[in-house]
Amino acid sequence: MLTFKHAKLKNGLDVIAEINDTAHSSALGFMVKTGSRDESADVSGVSHFLEHMMFKGTAKRNSQQVNEEFDAMGAKNNAFTSNEVTCYWAQVLPEYTERALELLADMMRPALRTEDFDMEKKVILEEIALYLDRPSHVLFEAVMGDHFGNHPMAHSVLGSKESIAALGRDAMKAYFDGRYGPGNMVLTAAGAVDFPALVALAEKYCGAWPTVQAPRQYSAPDLTAKRRHIRDPKLKRHYLAGLCPGPSAQDESRYAAMVLSDVLGDHEGSRLFWALVEPGLADEADFSFYPHDRAGSFMVYASCDPERAEQVEGILLGELQKVLKEGLTDDEVQRSKNKIETATVLHGELPLGRMRGIASRW
């Protein structure tokens, strides 16, 4: 049986959990409502950089000790940064819940030592260089920028070489102080969880954290149709991508959008698969739905031999026009719903999947 619980500490930190009496592990994490869309131009990429710094040590631990303590618990742990959230998590056996929470909570108060900052900056710059060698990433960044324009969703998660090179430790600290605190983050747990004990531990390890006020900009995107070609003589393949508006994360039609994207662009068995991949015209063809916070989008993507570029684009756009004119068949909708239901259940079989799911929805 699954039971959802919620409590709020005196400092405003939300603590939520989904308790499963049959689970044999627990997952817990801190999700912070901050990402590249919350950055100003002068600190572009700071959210992702800061994610790295959270593993570099605290006032009482260095980076090696952080890693060794996760290993000592047998924990599965990691973190990620997106346009909209940053999440830090660990999955452990229930007897290690307090140790994992204490360690994660300590990480949420990083030392941000200058020597660690300077060293990790080199790692971030190498990561940016690595991604700039990936055509799909370059194309994604370009199409996001063209589509969203001046809207914050256009901001790159990684930032640029220039913005990271210019970023100072004090600017990162100011960003951290303004966004990493109760009022802009949630402690989430799932699986074999003793909720009253979790709340008591949260008060013990997080109760002294100061509350923050971190409003998010919700201006509507000023969308303008654009077309752009990026040429790179080193590449042997042709890549194309397009974005158009879609339902937001709060829009009830997001469920219909999930079905639409599956029917059109799932990696196997979709309309684009049968029209482009199966005949050998393209090696990839995809149509995806991104339910962002109050600003959703659909993305279409394909890669193929340059000699087939015009043909592939014509077929791809033709499939989109066909959906606009004729819609989906009842059989396609039912098959898609079955696939989405199965994927949802499989994702939720483990506490980690459920923890991340309820944290995102919160």
Side-chain angles (χ1 to χ4, degrees):
M1 179 177 178
L2 299 177
T3 307
F4 181 80
K5 298 285 188 178
H6 168 238
K8 187 184 287 287
L9 303 188
K10 294 177 182 178
N11 63 359
L13 179 66
D14 287 300
V15 182
I16 62 173
E18 187 181 72
I19 301 162
N20 183 352
D21 295 333
T22 65
H24 298 284
S25 66
S26 60
L28 59 158
F30 289 95
M31 183 167 280
V32 190
K33 188 178 177 181
T34 197
S36 57
R37 70 177 293 174
D38 302 298
E39 301 167 356
S40 57
D42 59 324
V43 293
S44 177
V46 68
S47 301
H48 171 253
F49 193 163
L50 181 56
E51 176 212 316
H52 281 233
M53 290 299 298
M54 305 296 271
F55 289 87
K56 302 305 288 185
T58 70
K60 64 180 182 179
R61 291 178 171 97
N62 59 32
S63 59
Q64 182 176 343
Q65 290 169 326
V66 170
N67 289 325
E68 287 177 346
E69 289 191 40
F70 276 126
D71 284 344
M73 288 182 270
K76 179 181 179 181
N77 71 284
N78 212 328
F80 67 87
T81 305
S82 72
N83 296 86
E84 305 185 285
V85 297
T86 310
C87 183
Y88 307 84
W89 55 266
Q91 186 167 12
V92 295
L93 296 179
E95 56 264 37
Y96 295 118
T97 297
E98 180 171 2
R99 286 180 63 181
L101 177 56
E102 188 277 330
L103 179 53
L104 285 168
D106 192 35
M107 288 172 59
M108 294 301 101
R109 304 291 102 179
L112 299 181
R113 289 179 277 263
T114 300
E115 58 270 27
D116 292 331
F117 177 88
D118 293 340
M119 181 68 70
E120 199 62 24
K121 178 179 284 194
K122 299 175 184 177
V123 175
I124 299 294
L125 290 171
E126 285 294 324
E127 187 174 356
I128 292 173
L130 175 67
Y131 274 92
L132 289 176
D133 280 336
R134 299 179 180 179
S136 58
H137 171 77
V138 173
L139 190 60
F140 177 79
E141 297 271 275
V143 77
M144 287 287 286
D146 285 350
H147 177 72
F148 283 105
N150 293 326
H151 190 273
M153 277 301 299
H155 297 172
S156 168
V157 173
L158 292 177
S160 66
K161 293 184 292 184
E162 294 76 17
S163 66
I164 295 300
L167 183 66
R169 182 265 179 198
D170 291 345
M172 175 181 283
K173 180 64 164 59
Y175 181 84
F176 170 85
D177 290 341
R179 306 201 70 85
Y180 271 71
N184 201 49
M185 67 193 307
V186 58
L187 168 60
T188 313
V193 178
D194 180 335
F195 189 70
L198 178 70
V199 175
L201 291 172
E203 187 66 53
K204 178 180 179 180
Y205 296 118
C206 314
W209 293 356
T211 306
V212 302
Q213 301 294 328
R216 169 168 284 172
Q217 180 183 331
Y218 284 118
S219 60
D222 183 16
L223 305 178
T224 304
K226 296 180 181 178
R227 185 179 180 95
R228 177 151 66 109
H229 292 275
I230 302 173
R231 305 196 182 277
D232 187 338
K234 300 190 301 292
L235 300 180
K236 305 301 182 184
R237 306 293 291 170
H238 178 80
Y239 303 86
L240 63 96
L243 272 178
C244 67
S248 71
Q250 293 85 2
D251 193 327
E252 286 297 316
S253 62
R254 66 188 184 274
Y255 302 110
M258 291 170 63
V259 172
L260 173 63
S261 64
D262 179 80
V263 171
L264 259 179
D266 189 39
H267 67 281
E268 287 185 359
S270 66
R271 290 190 181 187
L272 291 181
F273 173 84
W274 292 114
L276 291 171
V277 179
E278 174 64 17
L281 298 175
D283 53 279
E284 288 185 84
D286 179 70
F287 184 83
S288 302
F289 167 51
Y290 296 99
H292 308 299
D293 188 7
R294 306 192 198 181
S297 59
F298 290 109
M299 181 179 218
V300 65
Y301 171 83
S303 61
C304 62
D305 189 291
E307 294 181 357
R308 296 196 181 101
E310 188 173 339
Q311 180 185 10
V312 166
E313 182 175 326
I315 293 173
L316 190 153
L317 294 176
E319 290 294 333
L320 300 185
Q321 288 294 328
K322 185 178 178 181
V323 168
L324 287 173
K325 293 179 180 179
E326 302 175 9
L328 308 179
T329 68
D330 291 341
D331 181 60
E332 285 178 319
V333 171
Q334 189 57 55
R335 281 191 286 114
S336 176
K337 288 167 65 176
N338 292 343
K339 288 166 62 180
I340 294 171
E341 288 172 2
T342 300
T344 301
V345 171
L346 291 176
H347 180 70
E349 288 280 11
L350 294 176
L352 177 59
R354 304 199 71 86
M355 183 277 291
R356 287 175 53 171
I358 63 173
S360 297
R361 288 192 291 276
W362 187 267

